[in-house]
Amino acid sequence: MPGTLFLCATPIGNLEDMTFRVVRTLKEVDLIAAEDTRNSIKLLNHFDIRTPMTSYHEYNKFEKGRKLTEKLLEGQNIALITDAGTPGISDPGEELVKMCYENGIQVTSLPGPAACITALTLSGLSTRRFTFEAFLPIDKKEREWILEELEREFRTIVLYEAPHRLLRTLRLLLERLGNRHVTVCRELTKRHETIFMTTLEESVDYYENHDPKGECVLVIEGRNHQEAALEEQRRWEEISIEAHVNFYLSQGMDKKEAMRKVAKDRGVQKREIYNYLERK
């Protein structure tokens, strides 16, 4: 009978955030697959966990993933841990999960710390709807594609960033998204945790004069619905009412429905559109 893959969340900074269930599971499984064994050995030693470890990371995720799958099929139970946080969130763990499901292997996740959720709840911004983008892509073409999506994004945006790239990313976001509210979360759960509620413009000014330190999570407000509606209205006002009506007529609408749509687009009463066309 196949074993089980346990996705074990580990602390993002504060060791007291390790759950009892994760500690027990790491002691009971046959093998621990870790993103960086040199980093994880400190965690295991702290909790007196003696289970054997093997490396599983971005550069060996396919080859090592197949080997781990074989061990699971043989009946071994394996725990997957990342350097910090929940495996499978913006890391190679998602590939191993896919392999397990393809081979009929049970997977279970042990909840725990996740930097994106921790930052979101601390941000002071809307948490009802959000999108997680992890790190912006290094590839210029892919990054441009993501930025175009974020320009239209109404949900709260959560991004990760390293200190040496923070200022460049903040400048880029200011240029593309405008001066939105942002909360910069630094060194989450650690002794020097700081939560900086500001705007993109103010954050750029600040980090131009202060060296960023520590890993950061950026939580950025989404596009404002009212401002978006006004922008859309201004775009329609750049064309004549006749051209606007003809646009909808060309889509198969009757004149009455077309005038109703034009009035809505322009934020006016349908009677105004009707009277204008009657005068023509």
Side-chain angles (χ1 to χ4, degrees):
M1 183 177 178
T4 299
L5 176 68
F6 296 87
L7 306 178
C8 295
T10 55
I12 58 177
N14 193 321
L15 291 177
E16 292 181 0
D17 291 334
M18 190 80 155
T19 70
F20 293 118
R21 186 182 174 201
V22 169
V23 171
R24 176 180 58 77
T25 299
L26 292 179
K27 289 181 177 181
E28 292 177 350
V29 294
D30 300 294
L31 182 67
I32 297 171
E35 182 177 7
D36 186 338
T37 56
R38 296 166 300 179
N39 179 69
S40 295
I41 192 63
K42 301 172 187 175
L43 177 74
L44 300 191
N45 286 341
H46 181 83
F47 290 100
D48 195 29
I49 298 168
R50 306 300 176 188
T51 307
M53 267 195 302
T54 188
S55 64
Y56 175 81
H57 48 71
E58 182 65 30
Y59 303 104
N60 72 353
K61 61 184 179 182
F62 296 113
E63 180 184 357
K64 180 56 74 71
R66 286 189 289 270
K67 293 180 179 178
L68 292 174
T69 300
E70 289 174 3
K71 292 180 181 295
L72 286 158
L73 287 171
E74 292 170 358
Q76 292 191 35
N77 292 320
I78 298 176
L80 179 66
I81 60 174
T82 184
D83 281 350
T86 301
I89 298 180
S90 188
D91 83 4
E94 62 182 347
E95 294 296 337
L96 183 56
V97 172
K98 290 178 186 176
M99 290 182 185
C100 285
Y101 285 135
E102 288 169 358
N103 287 276
I105 297 168
Q106 183 179 352
V107 180
T108 188
S109 182
L110 282 59
C116 55
I117 299 300
T118 303
L120 180 66
T121 58
L122 285 170
S123 68
L125 297 174
S126 174
T127 61
R128 190 175 71 85
R129 300 175 68 237
F130 66 94
T131 180
F132 173 60
E133 288 294 341
F135 292 92
L136 287 177
I138 295 175
D139 179 78
K140 189 174 181 180
K141 186 177 292 186
E142 187 181 357
R143 183 170 67 245
E144 177 63 25
W145 175 63
I146 294 296
L147 287 169
E148 286 179 0
E149 284 194 335
L150 295 183
E151 286 175 339
R152 302 187 296 270
E153 182 58 70
F154 289 97
R155 295 170 296 181
T156 300
I157 301 163
V158 183
L159 294 173
Y160 288 163
E161 195 48 276
H164 65 281
R165 291 194 301 262
L166 179 63
L167 180 57
R168 183 182 67 183
T169 296
L170 289 170
R171 285 171 174 161
L172 181 61
L173 292 171
L174 175 60
E175 176 188 340
R176 299 299 296 268
L177 306 184
N179 191 27
R180 298 188 190 179
H181 288 98
V182 60
T183 301
V184 182
C185 303
R186 188 182 70 86
E187 295 289 86
L188 287 170
T189 77
K190 300 177 184 177
R191 180 179 300 174
H192 300 294
E193 173 183 284
T194 56
I195 310 301
F196 185 21
M197 300 176 67
T198 179
T199 64
L200 285 171
E201 185 175 306
E202 290 173 350
S203 65
V204 167
D205 290 340
Y206 179 84
Y207 285 111
E208 283 178 339
N209 298 290
H210 298 81
D211 290 333
K213 296 179 181 178
E215 298 295 320
C216 293
V217 183
L218 305 177
V219 186
I220 308 150
E221 71 173 336
R223 191 179 181 198
N224 182 280
H225 284 83
Q226 291 182 331
E227 290 178 3
L230 287 173
E231 287 178 16
E232 184 72 12
Q233 182 178 320
R234 285 193 288 269
R235 280 196 292 270
W236 283 118
E237 290 172 351
E238 292 175 0
I239 67 172
S240 68
I241 290 178
E242 293 93 333
H244 199 163
V245 172
N246 287 333
F247 169 76
Y248 286 120
L249 291 176
S250 68
Q251 293 184 349
M253 290 186 188
D254 60 36
K255 191 172 182 179
K256 183 177 180 181
E257 178 66 12
M259 287 192 295
R260 188 189 68 78
K261 287 283 291 181
V262 169
K264 182 178 179 182
D265 290 343
R266 292 173 176 261
V268 299
Q269 295 294 317
K270 179 184 171 184
R271 172 61 59 180
E272 291 185 39
I273 303 300
Y274 177 80
N275 289 340
Y276 175 85
L277 294 174
E278 284 292 301
R279 292 194 298 269
K280 289 292 182 177

